[in-house]
Amino acid sequence: EAAMKRATLVLIGMLLASPAEAVTTGHDLLETCSKAASESSFERGFCEGYIRAISDQMSNYPFAGLQTCFPTDVTGRQLAQISVQYLREHPGLRHLTAYHNVVSALLVAFPCGH
């Protein structure tokens, strides 16, 4: 419960402090996270925080019944890199929500072994 509360608070904070052009699609997220590599720490913090909040939620509540298994030492930067790589490799999905794209990227990258 604590992780979910933290994820919710982080997400609310990001929405309140988000740039004028809101991140809503995969395209928007790719653009914001790509800027993060070369610009201020605000963009990096926003990108990593947005993706970390989604991963925290996924850790506690499976997405559509699909469970992810994150390593305990995975960093926000690694999660952002995985999500950006996924967006670059799947341009046909960028019109979908940023949330959907991040969930898809993390499900692919961190499946639970059966």
Side-chain angles (χ1 to χ4, degrees):
E1 281 185 45
M4 181 59 187
K5 286 181 184 177
R6 180 179 62 154
T8 301
L9 290 175
V10 168
L11 193 55
I12 289 170
M14 288 185 308
L15 292 174
L16 293 175
S18 65
E21 295 182 29
V23 170
T24 57
T25 67
H27 177 75
D28 298 332
L29 184 63
L30 178 60
E31 189 175 311
T32 298
C33 291
S34 294
K35 287 180 186 175
S38 61
E39 293 188 20
S40 76
S41 60
F42 176 81
E43 280 87 2
R44 181 178 304 163
F46 178 84
C47 176
E48 292 178 14
Y50 182 90
I51 293 167
R52 174 60 86 177
I54 293 170
S55 73
D56 283 351
Q57 182 183 24
M58 291 174 70
S59 293
N60 294 296
Y61 301 97
F63 180 80
L66 299 172
Q67 185 70 44
T68 49
C69 292
F70 296 102
T72 56
D73 61 347
V74 70
T75 66
R77 179 168 287 183
Q78 290 169 322
L79 295 172
Q81 289 169 339
I82 288 164
S83 298
V84 166
Q85 180 179 347
Y86 180 88
L87 286 163
R88 287 185 177 141
E89 292 175 357
H90 298 88
L93 300 177
R94 291 183 202 154
H95 69 284
L96 299 174
T97 65
Y99 178 84
H100 178 88
N101 277 282
V102 171
V103 167
S104 297
L106 299 180
L107 284 170
V108 169
F110 301 105
C112 294
H114 292 283

